Amino acid sequence: MKLILTLMTFGVFTFAQTSTEKKIGTKIEGTFLGNGKKIIATVIKTKETKGNPIEDGTPAEYKIRFSDKKLKPIKAGCCETILINEGDLNNDGKDDISIYQAPMNGCTYAMTTYSFSNGNWKKTVDTFLIPTGCETITNENLQKMIFRENNQIYYLEKDLSDENRKLIKKKVNFK
């Protein structure tokens, strides 16, 4: 009986954790319009790969679609994409969204953060590169790459001059 109760408790705990998982993946949710309404953002493949892009083939293409039609899709381009709900980074009352993308070839990924403003998606954080050494970055570490601290937005960048690739906190400069 104790084992069943423990398993049931674990199952409830696991179920409760699914809400945080909706903040990162190929399908996430957020309040991107700032009205408190949950909206789903989904990565959609819009063009199939034809051959190897490095050998004159065509890479796949992706875009981000939203369950609320007031939000225009975001063209993500090539390649596989992970979405991250960053919360409200710029204090405008709306969740911001980051796009973490695989390279066409190699192990250096790209990340860009957007906020919905005046009917359009605007870059909150310009694209920056994340060299991975061909190792997977955990969802938890991806969620920590961009953050707000003392009323300022920062991102973490690997120090390429350090053999351990130490992370450096970089301040986001607004245009």
Side-chain angles (χ1 to χ4, degrees):
M1 185 67 160
K2 227 178 193 181
L3 178 61
I4 293 171
L5 186 55
T6 303
L7 289 173
M8 286 174 60
T9 303
F10 179 74
V12 170
F13 177 75
T14 303
F15 179 76
Q17 294 299 309
T18 58
S19 64
T20 58
E21 292 171 6
K22 291 181 182 177
K23 291 195 172 277
I24 188 163
T26 56
K27 189 175 199 173
I28 64 170
E29 65 181 28
T31 56
F32 304 112
L33 286 171
N35 59 6
K37 179 182 169 190
K38 292 283 185 182
I39 297 169
I40 297 171
T42 308
V43 176
I44 306 292
K45 186 187 277 189
T46 59
K47 185 176 184 181
E48 280 295 328
T49 303
K50 292 182 184 166
N52 183 341
I54 304 304
E55 298 169 353
D56 294 327
T58 306
E61 289 183 17
Y62 296 83
K63 73 175 163 182
I64 316 311
R65 284 198 187 138
F66 298 88
S67 59
D68 190 314
K69 300 303 178 202
K70 292 177 191 153
L71 294 165
K72 296 178 182 176
I74 300 172
K75 287 185 182 180
C78 172
C79 297
E80 291 182 22
T81 303
I82 294 176
L83 304 174
I84 304 160
N85 178 336
E86 300 289 0
D88 184 8
L89 290 172
N90 58 358
N91 251 356
D92 66 354
K94 303 172 202 157
D95 286 342
D96 299 314
I97 188 169
S98 286
I99 298 174
Y100 176 73
Q101 270 188 303
M104 193 179 319
N105 187 28
C107 301
T108 301
Y109 287 63
M111 187 176 250
T112 309
T113 303
Y114 296 89
S115 183
F116 194 72
S117 176
N118 298 322
N120 291 303
W121 288 102
K122 306 237 191 291
K123 284 185 183 181
T124 307
V125 179
D126 283 332
T127 303
F128 64 97
L129 301 178
I130 303 173
T132 65
C134 293
E135 293 180 13
T136 303
I137 295 179
T138 66
N139 285 352
E140 182 182 358
N141 285 335
L142 275 176
Q143 189 77 55
K144 295 177 184 176
M145 295 298 288
I146 299 172
F147 57 96
R148 184 179 183 83
E149 182 179 276
N150 298 325
N151 219 19
Q152 177 62 46
I153 301 172
Y154 295 92
Y155 65 96
L156 296 176
E157 184 175 77
K158 289 190 178 185
D159 183 355
L160 298 178
S161 64
D162 181 290
E163 70 180 47
N164 296 320
R165 303 289 190 246
K166 181 178 89 173
L167 292 173
I168 303 169
K169 183 167 80 170
K170 298 276 194 151
K171 187 175 178 180
V172 172
N173 296 314
F174 293 102
K175 298 173 185 174

